[in-house]
Amino acid sequence: MDEKKFLAEKFEANRARLRAVAYRMLGSTAEVDDAVQETWLRLSRSDTSAVENLGGWLTTVVARVCLDMLRSRKARREEPMGAHVPEPVADDAQGRDAEMADSVGAALLVVLETLAPAERLAFVLHDMFAVPFEEIAPIVGRTPAAARQLASRARRRVQGTPPPDADFSRQKNIVDAFLKASRDGDFEGLLAVLDPDVVVRADQAAQRLGSLAEIRGAAAVAEFFKGRAQAAKPALVDGSLALAVMLGGQLRVVVRLTISGERISAIEAVADAKRIDEFDVTLLT
């Protein structure tokens, strides 16, 4: 048997599993087909002579493909106001797509859509397909411990723990107003979106870049941020709204925001490279 035929047969033997992984990652049968096709193309172009577990290798590849597709989807902001409803599946000749969708459940897919891409991948691979965190970690570019944390955070969401405030649109408006006021040097505009008792804390790396270790009170925080944030962009960090400070095209500082009601009540500036590497960051427009 020639190698190409051998690989084709092995791929077909794993196709159902690959489609199951992709559907839980993407929630779209059209995108599932694209992801599985891309996985086959990567297989056909790769030297797998040293691969001992081809099924595991294929699962890793389709997971990477799906992660790229999810991140691209978020970057294009195809669903800017939160989760989209997963598309219904049309029965194929054998009813395989319908069976696949029924095995997942629409409610679960809706919850999965609220997760950050790396969270979703860690949860799907570990909790649904028993992939070890040691194998998940390289896919998401994290340590095994950080991958475990991603899955744990996702699991809490799936089990029904709601985010602190699910009103994404309202929170995004607050973040945008904060950014604009900061860039414009608008002291009153900053006061309007800051809680009177707001607290800013910065890690040591952020302090070396010019931040203060701690600032308390709306007036002091507004004075500090007035005229700043020129390099900051709104972002999702581990699924929550935040700011990403880009310097020289590189992510240098993550500014995590806590929003209570209509105002920002806490700000954390993180510039430690190791901590930043453990965040899942998606820039917003």
Side-chain angles (χ1 to χ4, degrees):
M1 182 184 299
D2 62 52
E3 183 180 1
K4 186 173 182 180
K5 184 177 180 181
F6 172 79
L7 289 177
E9 289 186 357
K10 288 293 186 181
F11 184 81
E12 288 303 319
N14 284 276
R15 182 184 288 273
R17 176 183 172 87
L18 298 179
R19 286 181 59 80
V21 171
Y23 187 66
R24 286 157 177 80
M25 285 292 297
L26 301 169
S28 161
T29 54
E31 289 183 309
V32 164
D33 291 336
D34 291 342
V36 172
Q37 178 63 20
E38 177 62 23
T39 303
W40 163 249
L41 292 175
R42 295 190 186 188
L43 172 63
S44 65
R45 295 193 297 258
S46 301
D47 179 6
T48 58
S49 58
V51 176
E52 296 182 1
N53 180 359
L54 188 60
W57 186 90
L58 288 169
T59 298
T60 296
V61 172
V62 78
R64 290 183 186 276
V65 171
C66 291
L67 184 61
D68 289 343
M69 293 172 71
L70 282 177
R71 285 173 170 166
S72 177
R73 178 197 290 175
K74 287 185 175 294
R76 294 193 306 268
R77 299 193 69 202
E78 291 176 352
E79 297 87 22
M81 295 307 176
H84 79 274
V85 178
E87 66 182 44
V89 298
D91 291 351
D92 60 11
Q94 291 77 34
R96 287 176 297 183
D97 281 349
E99 181 180 350
M100 179 174 63
D102 288 343
S103 70
V104 182
L108 174 58
L109 284 174
V110 169
V111 177
L112 291 177
E113 288 293 335
T114 69
L115 303 177
E119 287 179 335
R120 185 166 182 170
L121 184 143
F123 175 77
V124 167
L125 289 189
H126 182 265
D127 285 40
M128 296 184 174
F129 294 94
V131 177
F133 288 117
E134 289 74 15
E135 296 178 22
I136 295 172
I139 303 176
V140 294
R142 312 288 179 87
T143 64
R148 184 185 299 274
Q149 290 177 354
L150 287 173
S152 177
R153 188 158 55 236
R155 194 177 303 116
R156 290 195 296 271
R157 294 270 189 95
V158 170
Q159 291 173 347
T161 303
D165 191 333
D167 188 354
F168 180 91
S169 178
R170 181 181 58 79
Q171 290 194 2
K172 179 65 163 52
N173 288 338
I174 294 170
V175 172
D176 288 343
F178 174 81
L179 265 179
K180 184 178 187 305
S182 177
R183 291 169 178 166
D184 294 347
D186 181 359
F187 182 80
E188 294 299 326
L190 285 165
L191 287 180
V193 294
L194 293 172
D195 186 271
D197 298 319
V198 62
V199 178
V200 175
R201 293 185 174 90
D203 67 8
Q204 291 185 351
Q207 292 172 45
R208 288 194 293 270
L209 293 174
S211 181
L212 300 177
E214 184 176 285
I215 311 171
R216 291 182 172 272
V221 172
E223 186 63 36
F224 177 78
F225 278 99
K226 186 176 68 174
R228 291 177 178 259
Q230 303 302 321
K233 300 179 181 294
L236 285 176
V237 175
D238 292 340
S240 298
L241 279 164
L243 301 177
V245 179
M246 311 295 294
L247 299 173
Q250 299 294 320
L251 176 60
R252 296 293 302 278
V253 184
V254 167
V255 181
R256 309 191 75 172
L257 305 172
T258 300
I259 300 175
S260 303
E262 300 299 320
R263 300 192 177 192
I264 297 169
S265 58
I267 300 173
E268 180 191 15
V270 178
D272 181 85
K274 290 183 178 179
R275 286 191 64 194
I276 289 177
D277 284 344
E278 294 184 351
F279 294 144
D280 185 78
V281 180
T282 301
L283 296 180
L284 303 175
T285 56

